């Protein structure tokens, strides 16, 4: 007895994305446009709208996100994952080029005012989700630009300013008010914010760099990683000399090293653990090495050597890996007597960053970081998200801004605590049957040569795919957990249990009449995407569409 049920499931890519992006959904709008009767332009437009609902930064995220969605993609084991980030970038760029705008929810009423501290991706995501519901949003931003670390930290060669600006402008165009160069706690008090706004979102990030804490650090020739990158991004790159040593193993260290290479310096990165423990995005490390950055692993600065005050070298202590520490990573331990000197004109300290609570004493959490699983309310009508909850990536900041907006909306409207309404099961092992899909190699992503990168330092390193490649790559998606209209069930059902839907949409191509079912289970075996499953797998209550 194998009674089938049509059960939409959450695909692996969506589970892998920190923002839970509906990847399959927007890919399907384009891949299945011939079945649903949409022309290409309309399909692109609808797909972008679907993507932008949860992520208003597709062109940005397609460039900088480490794309964990692809590591989870079911296609990976067959012939390589769908190149989701490259597709996201292409569609995001297409929308920027086409001048598409974000929109308010139809019939959105005029609602209360909410305040946002910090205009990074977390604050902007919160602002977007509130503005589209009809709230009046004011962002208080300490600096003169929006974007947080995406603007001040990530270099032009990875994320062009014009792309980030275009995606931010669409959020501002929803009527969001911006108070630039307004640090909350200095230029406006928290008490004033409480008077003005029904709720406050804190998205201050982790902007304060830590010192190295070694002798010789005070003096010329030493700078913080984010300060250095912010200066480069402002077009005010400081002189770094011929030899730069960057200390750290995270994204800031890699970006600082790559930016210093583009200023013409020979660059060494010191990291106290092994490459495996490096928190930086793997591709960034590979790119840095390809660009000639020298990685010295299991090495930490012991002191900075100066000659008459001038920095000349870093004395480097060799380390080994000991027992795991609280983070689960193996602790670096100094090997006595094993030191050496690396000549340096500049040292860039990129060891770690932390939130700066100095101006916001009233909100300071017990530890350094905001604690809590999701939708964190850190005080009466005050919510927090993004890097202030722990150093993370932009996708997590966007997700937390969105989740906080859901929670604030629920609280202000008296809807009780917002809980996820997505009760669909995940695609399980063996649900998807890769053997039914033709082999098709993933698209090759263009990239500029090392020579071009060093001679044209601002030029974007990673190139984009063209429309033909985009359409071919989109069609590689298996549509895991949802019908894509392959017709196997309809063709092979002995009892004629499946009937075509007259006006199909992705996911709804056939209806199933169980009174005709002979319970042979053939349709389940032949469903490539795992949409049909044995009835026992069906959730007890319906399967709301996400
Ligand atoms: C160099 C670097 C490279 C990175 N590379 C990547 C990458 O490739 N991919 C990726 O996904 N992530 C990357 N990240 C991480 C990513 O940038 C962060 O996770 C993300 O920006 C966090 O967003 P946020 O909004 O929480 O904080 P932030 O982006 O830090 O924004 C916080 C904002 O709050 C403002 N602010 C702070 N205090 C106040 C105050 N008192 N009043 C008013 N405004 C205030 C700040 O000026 C800032 O604009 C990188 C980070 C760095 C530093
Ligand atoms: S935001 Fe990142 S993880 Fe999510 S779908 Fe895009 S590339 Fe993948
Ligand atoms: S094949 Fe498509 S639906 Fe399945 S995990 Fe990959 S991108 Fe997602």
């Amino acid at each position: 007895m194998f009674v089938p049920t049509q059960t939409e499931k959450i695909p692996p890519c969506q589970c892998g994305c920190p923002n839970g992006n509906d990847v399959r959904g927007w890919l399907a709008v384009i891949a299945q446009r011939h079945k649903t009767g949409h022309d290409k332009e309309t399909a692109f437009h609808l797909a972008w709208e679907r993507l932008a609902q949860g992520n208003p930064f597709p062109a940005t995220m397609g460039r900088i996100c480490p794309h964990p969605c692809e590591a989870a993609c079911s296609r990976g084991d067959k012939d390589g994952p769908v190149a989701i980030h490259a597709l996201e970038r292409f569609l995001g760029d297409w929308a920027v080029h086409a001048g598409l705008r974000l929109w308010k929810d139809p019939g959105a009423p005029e609602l209360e005012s909410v305040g946002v501290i910090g205009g990074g991706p977390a604050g902007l995501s919160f602002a977007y989700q509130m503005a589209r519901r009809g709230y009046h949003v004011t962002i208080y931003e300490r600096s003169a630009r929006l974007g947080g670390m995406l603007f001040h930290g990530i270099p032009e060669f990875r994320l062009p300013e014009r792309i980030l600006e275009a995606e931010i402008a669409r959020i501002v165009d929803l009527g969001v008010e911006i108070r630039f160069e307004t640090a909350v706690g200095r230029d406006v008090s928290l008490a004033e914010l409480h008077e003005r706004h029904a709720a406050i979102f804190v998205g201050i990030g982790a902007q304060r760099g830590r010192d190295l804490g070694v002798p010789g650090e005070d003096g010329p020739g030493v700078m913080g990683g984010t300060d250095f990158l912010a200066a480069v991004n402002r077009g005010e790159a400081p002189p770094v000399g011929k030899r730069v040593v960057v200390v750290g193993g995270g994204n800031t260290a890699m970006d600082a090293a790559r930016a210093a290479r583009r200023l013409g310096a020979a660059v060494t990165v010191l990291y106290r653990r092994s490459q495996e423990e490096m928190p930086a995005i793997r591709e960034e490390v590979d790119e840095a090495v390809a660009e000639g950055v020298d990685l010295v692993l299991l090495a930490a600065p012991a002191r900075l050597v100066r000659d008459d005050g001038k920095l000349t070298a870093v004395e480097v202590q060799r380390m080994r890996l000991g027992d795991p520490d609280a983070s689960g990573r193996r602790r670096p331990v100094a090997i006595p007597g094993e030191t050496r000197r690396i000549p340096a004109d500049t040292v860039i300290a990129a060891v770690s960053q932390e939130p700066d609570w100095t101006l916001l004493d009233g909100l300071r959490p017990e530890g350094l970081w905001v604690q809590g699983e999701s939708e964190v309310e850190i005080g009466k009508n005050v919510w927090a998200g993004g890097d202030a909850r722990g150093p993370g990536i932009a996708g997590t900041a966007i997700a937390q801004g969105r989740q906080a907006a859901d929670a604030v909306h629920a609280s202000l409207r008296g809807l009780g605590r917002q809980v996820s309404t997505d009760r669909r099961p995940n695609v399980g092992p063996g649900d998807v049957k890769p053997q039914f899909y033709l082999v098709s190699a993933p698209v090759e992503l263009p990239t500029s040569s090392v020579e071009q990168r060093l001679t044209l330092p601002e030029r974007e390193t990673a190139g984009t795919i063209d429309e033909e490649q985009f359409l071919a790559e989109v069609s590689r998606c298996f549509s895991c957990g949802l019908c894509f209209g392959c017709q196997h069930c309809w063709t092979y059902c002995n009892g004629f249990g499946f009937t075509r839907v007259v006006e199909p949409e992705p996911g709804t191509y056939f209806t199933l009449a169980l009174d005709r079912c002979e319970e042979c289970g053939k349709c389940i075996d032949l469903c490539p995407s795992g949409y049909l499953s044995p009835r026992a797998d069906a959730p007890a209550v319906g399967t709301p569409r996400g």
Side-chain angles (χ1 to χ4, degrees), residues 157-378:
F157 61 82
R158 284 213 293 132
L159 175 59
E161 189 181 322
R162 70 187 160 78
I163 294 293
L164 180 63
E165 274 196 336
E167 296 203 309
I168 291 175
R170 283 195 299 234
I171 297 175
V172 177
D173 285 350
L174 290 175
V176 175
E177 191 183 330
I178 315 293
R179 302 272 175 95
F180 284 115
E181 296 181 317
T182 307
V184 177
R186 183 191 65 196
D187 305 308
V188 57
S189 71
L190 205 53
E192 279 173 271
L193 256 62
H194 275 295
E195 274 171 29
R196 286 180 199 168
H197 306 295
I200 297 167
F201 176 76
V202 181
I204 60 167
Q207 297 245 321
R208 191 162 62 182
R210 284 194 186 139
D211 294 341
L212 297 175
V214 296
E217 186 169 10
D218 295 331
V222 181
M223 55 188 99
T226 49
D227 295 338
F228 168 69
L229 287 166
V232 171
N233 282 359
R234 282 197 306 272
E236 298 167 5
V240 291
K242 291 195 172 125
R243 299 156 310 178
V244 171
V245 172
V246 178
V247 184
N251 290 328
T252 306
M254 289 309 119
D255 278 341
R258 297 180 69 191
R261 273 299 286 143
R262 284 161 171 77
L263 295 175
V267 181
T268 304
V269 170
L270 296 185
Y271 180 57
R272 60 197 184 134
R273 293 182 160 102
S274 71
Q275 194 164 346
E276 223 169 86
E277 286 88 20
M278 272 185 141
I281 297 167
R282 179 132 311 212
E283 285 168 13
E284 263 240 75
V285 181
D286 294 343
E287 296 290 2
V289 171
E291 288 162 13
V293 170
D294 189 17
L295 280 190
V296 179
L297 301 164
L298 292 165
R303 74 183 177 101
L304 306 193
V305 184
R306 294 185 180 273
D307 183 4
D308 212 9
K310 187 180 178 305
L311 182 73
T312 56
V314 181
E315 191 168 293
V316 177
Q317 167 70 58
R318 242 188 101 203
M319 315 293 281
R320 64 174 176 80
L321 289 181
D323 295 334
D325 61 16
S327 72
R329 292 182 305 167
R330 290 180 65 193
R331 191 189 306 271
V333 182
I335 306 175
E338 294 212 19
T339 58
R340 68 166 168 132
R341 283 188 180 186
I342 297 180
D345 302 307
T346 298
V347 168
I348 298 176
V351 278
S352 66
Q353 282 127 235
E354 57 191 38
D356 183 356
W357 297 104
T358 41
L359 297 172
L360 297 167
D361 222 19
L363 294 175
R364 189 186 293 269
E366 260 189 28
L368 199 51
W369 307 93
V370 171
Q371 303 292 329
E373 283 307 308
S374 66
E375 304 153 9
V376 194
E377 192 173 6
I378 58 170

Side-chain angles (χ1 to χ4, degrees), residues 13-23 26 51 55 57-58 60-71 83-86 88-89 393-396 398:
C13 49
Q14 186 167 357
C15 297
C17 170
N19 192 33
N21 282 355
D22 176 19
V23 178
W26 68 263
L51 173 55
N55 168 21
F57 300 104
T60 299
M61 295 306 287
R63 287 172 163 84
I64 64 154
C65 181
H67 43 84
C69 53
E70 291 178 30
I84 299 167
H85 75 289
E88 199 170 305
R89 169 177 168 172
I393 55 173
T396 309
I398 293 169

Side-chain angles (χ1 to χ4, degrees), residues 1-5 489 492-498 512-525 533-536:
M1 287 239 317
F2 290 102
V3 182
T5 171
C489 54
Y492 293 103
C493 177
N494 295 336
F496 302 103
F498 293 88
L512 168 59
L514 281 181
D515 54 347
R516 299 195 192 152
C517 177
E518 294 174 1
E519 300 179 9
C520 66
K522 204 159 50 175
C523 60
I524 298 169
D525 292 343
S533 13
R535 194 156 181 83

